[in-house]
Amino acid sequence: MSLLSSLVATRVTLLSLLFLSLLGLPMTSATPRTLRNVTVDDTAGSLTGGFQIVYEPAGVWSTGQNCTTCQAKVDRNQALDGTWHDVSFISDNPPSEPITATLTFEAGVAVYAFCIITRTFSNPNGNYDMSFLIDGNEAGTFRLAPNGDAAYLYNVPVFANDTLSPGTHTFTMVVGHPGAASSLALLDYITFT
């Protein structure tokens, strides 16, 4: 290519870029950002990023696999990493503050919570009454009444939201609420994208 053709080509390219910038169009082709799932185990946290679930109030949640007083008898081989967190909201004796499991995560556009479910009438009471907050705003509920089925179901999605704006978010699961029936929660893991 001669020097003159090279200068003409450069000038045409510069004029094209100037024209596109005046139109407000992107000057380079956009590459889609690669999304990845990060799974946060109830006990071990995430393998990448160091994300951990925070349980409150202190001393109310039990690590299910180590709990000798918990009524739920979960098959640890079915739970992610053999762990889960167990809590009961007792309507006759509600706690002074909400029972919560909270995860703050970065660069997320979606979040999913997975629990272990049983539908027994007693030992444990298989009633589920959970509310979910994203960034402090109510984002959904999961309510499921017992039907007497003593089987345990694993990897049950109790919450899913794939419409988050990109950024840092705080996800909170609230177990039970004042004036309602007793409620069980067997949290296994939370995944965000």
Side-chain angles (χ1 to χ4, degrees):
M1 176 185 271
S2 73
L3 181 60
L4 181 59
S5 346
S6 177
L7 288 174
V8 169
T10 301
R11 185 173 177 175
V12 168
T13 301
L14 288 174
L15 287 173
S16 299
L17 290 174
L18 178 62
F19 179 73
L20 290 174
S21 69
L22 291 173
L23 288 176
L25 298 175
M27 291 182 271
T28 60
S29 62
T31 56
R33 188 171 158 189
T34 303
L35 298 176
R36 64 183 175 93
N37 287 337
V38 176
T39 298
V40 183
D41 179 65
D42 70 289
T43 301
S46 64
L47 294 176
T48 59
F51 298 98
Q52 289 286 144
I53 299 170
V54 176
Y55 300 95
E56 295 179 316
V60 173
W61 288 84
S62 298
T63 50
Q65 67 279 5
N66 298 326
C67 185
T68 57
T69 60
C70 295
Q71 294 177 344
K73 302 303 177 208
V74 173
D75 178 355
R76 71 182 312 147
N77 295 319
Q78 299 292 320
L80 181 71
D81 290 338
T83 66
W84 66 96
H85 267 70
D86 181 314
V87 72
S88 290
F89 172 89
I90 307 299
S91 60
D92 301 10
N93 187 20
S96 58
E97 58 186 283
I99 298 172
T100 62
T102 302
L103 173 67
T104 299
F105 55 97
E106 301 168 358
V109 296
V111 62
Y112 311 90
F114 296 86
C115 286
I116 301 165
I117 302 290
T118 185
R119 310 261 322 262
T120 54
F121 290 119
S122 62
N123 298 322
N125 176 350
N127 185 60
Y128 298 88
D129 181 4
M130 296 179 265
S131 301
F132 305 96
L133 309 173
I134 295 179
D135 303 329
N137 299 307
E138 190 166 326
T141 60
F142 179 84
R143 292 191 174 93
L144 186 65
N147 65 5
D149 185 352
Y152 283 86
L153 304 174
Y154 299 85
N155 302 306
V156 177
V158 296
F159 180 81
N161 183 322
D162 61 1
T163 61
L164 299 177
S165 59
T168 300
H169 296 285
T170 299
F171 170 78
T172 303
M173 180 175 92
V174 182
V175 180
H177 63 276
S182 294
S183 179
L184 174 67
L186 302 171
L187 179 61
D188 194 5
Y189 59 96
I190 298 172
T191 298
F192 69 88
T193 302

